[in-house]
Amino acid sequence: LLAFGADPNVVSKSAGRYRPLHRAAEYRISAPKTERHERIVRLLLDAGADPTVRATRAMMTPALLASIAGNGVMVDLFMQRMPTRDIFTAAAVGDLGRVRSLLKRDPDLARAEQATRTALWHAAASRLHAQDRQTATGLLGVARALLDAGADPNTAGRGVPALYYAIGHAGN
């Protein structure tokens, strides 16, 4: 389809408002991701799919969705095509250096929200901690840096606080 002009950035007309990269990266218990999905992501990226755009009802980038899924391979694919990381993406992937740099420039980012979710929420919801000790340490450092900068641990993204994800969903 891509060879015949299908738009790799098309937004679905469904209530979910998905783009192809978002659908490929999304976590679904009923449809675990495989190497086939990773090949699809590469194909979409090579065809011009933009990994920086937000979509879905949650208004997330594909990298944010992949971090919640704990799919480090997909996150790496997206990061290679994202020259800069906003506070939310940096938090989700455990990039402590980038988070500190952004907070130094603008401490209010610790409390900033994107579609009701804070950077702290993204760090707590990330399942990338299971990838390796360095990433787990980075995510913990990000959470501490955000809290030290004034992040509210009780802010609830879409009604669900970061603590729920830290102890339940993501098993951090």
Side-chain angles (χ1 to χ4, degrees):
L1 293 172
L2 292 169
F4 286 91
D7 180 0
N9 293 302
V10 66
V11 178
S12 72
K13 304 267 189 244
S14 71
R17 308 284 301 150
Y18 285 94
R19 292 178 188 265
L21 281 179
H22 295 78
R23 179 56 87 185
E26 182 189 41
Y27 174 74
R28 295 268 181 181
I29 292 172
S30 61
K33 300 304 175 196
T34 66
E35 288 179 15
R36 184 176 63 89
H37 293 93
E38 294 161 12
R39 285 193 305 271
I40 290 168
V41 165
R42 285 185 183 93
L43 185 80
L44 289 165
L45 289 168
D46 289 344
D50 185 351
T52 66
V53 296
R54 294 179 181 273
T56 75
R57 287 183 294 231
M59 292 307 295
M60 291 189 187
T61 64
L64 292 174
L65 289 171
S67 72
I68 292 170
N71 191 324
V73 172
M74 278 198 198
V75 168
D76 290 345
L77 289 172
F78 298 134
M79 292 295 99
Q80 292 169 16
R81 309 278 180 117
M82 296 175 73
T84 60
R85 298 176 184 173
D86 63 20
I87 189 85
F88 308 103
T89 304
V93 300
D95 186 347
L96 180 56
R98 177 72 175 153
V99 168
R100 284 182 175 153
S101 172
L102 291 168
L103 289 172
K104 186 174 181 180
R105 277 191 263 149
D106 185 359
D108 290 339
L109 287 174
R111 293 173 297 285
E113 294 183 14
Q114 169 65 42
T116 76
R117 291 172 177 89
T118 64
L120 180 61
W121 186 95
H122 284 289
S126 176
R127 289 185 176 176
L128 294 176
H129 67 279
Q131 191 171 263
D132 58 57
R133 185 174 202 85
Q134 181 179 348
T135 303
T137 301
L139 287 164
L140 182 58
V142 164
R144 285 186 179 140
L146 290 164
L147 289 164
D148 289 345
D152 181 354
N154 294 308
T155 299
R158 301 272 182 182
V160 182
L163 181 61
Y164 168 85
Y165 284 93
I167 63 170
H169 168 75
N172 296 351

